[in-house]
Amino acid sequence: YSRGGAVVWQRQLGPNDDAGANALTTEAGGNRYVSYNDLLEKRRADGGLVWSRTVVGVSALATDRRGNLYVGSSDGTGTMFLSKYTAAGSRTWRRSASGNGIFIVPKGIATDPSGNVYLAASDYDDCCLWNKLLKYSPGGQQLVNKEIGVSGVD
């Protein structure tokens, strides 16, 4: 959309109506990243496709000042992943984390000016919900893995 609210461009995601978007973020250069149906795409400001990758279970995206993309995903078996991609679409690292429950889902990603990456996640099982905060260095070293709240179900 333009600043005035007019549609500038639109694109259909995928071959049919089942392609709901899971996550979306932008970068300083005006490019957009979108995830849907296990596909991750980078699109130019005009909507044209730059690259596409298969990434299962994406639920969170963020970019940093250097144009890198961070992808939070879950495989549905109690393991989540944080991956770092270059602007050109090459994965530079991938880290995994498991939780206390049977299903852990990335909920949000943020970066700071030093290049550190923060990942918020929710971890579920039949009785409880754990909220986690993880912090990674620019090179992918896990610095923090902390529970920030626990709630039980009676």
Side-chain angles (χ1 to χ4, degrees), residues 78-80 97-104 123 130 132 147:
T79 303
M80 71 173 177
S98 56
N100 300 320
I102 56 175
F103 193 66
I104 188 166
D123 185 9
W130 294 269
K132 298 179 88 71
E147 288 184 3

Side-chain angles (χ1 to χ4, degrees), residues 42-151:
K42 179 178 183 176
R43 292 192 171 268
R44 294 186 307 269
D46 67 4
L49 181 65
V50 177
W51 54 257
S52 179
R53 304 285 182 271
T54 300
V55 184
V56 176
V58 174
S59 58
L61 299 172
T63 56
D64 66 16
R65 293 176 153 186
R66 295 168 186 87
N68 296 304
L69 173 67
Y70 298 89
V71 178
S73 60
S74 177
D75 66 3
T77 65
T79 303
M80 71 173 177
F81 303 94
L82 177 64
S83 301
K84 180 179 180 178
Y85 289 82
T86 66
S90 298
R91 189 171 68 195
T92 57
W93 52 258
R94 181 180 189 216
R95 303 294 182 258
S96 64
S98 56
N100 300 320
I102 56 175
F103 193 66
I104 188 166
V105 180
K107 295 292 189 173
I109 302 171
T111 60
D112 67 21
S114 299
N116 295 305
V117 185
Y118 301 83
L119 174 65
S122 292
D123 185 9
Y124 307 90
D125 71 9
D126 292 336
C127 78
C128 301
L129 165 68
W130 294 269
N131 295 304
K132 298 179 88 71
L133 177 64
L134 296 95
K135 178 181 178 181
Y136 293 85
S137 71
Q141 178 186 4
Q142 189 179 84
L143 304 173
V144 174
N145 183 342
K146 182 175 180 160
E147 288 184 3
I148 55 174
V150 177
S151 65

Side-chain angles (χ1 to χ4, degrees), residues 9 24-34 41-51 63 67 87:
W9 59 264
L24 173 72
T25 193
T26 61
E27 50 135 52
N31 295 307
R32 285 112 171 115
Y33 296 92
V34 63
E41 292 183 349
K42 179 178 183 176
R43 292 192 171 268
R44 294 186 307 269
D46 67 4
L49 181 65
V50 177
W51 54 257
T63 56

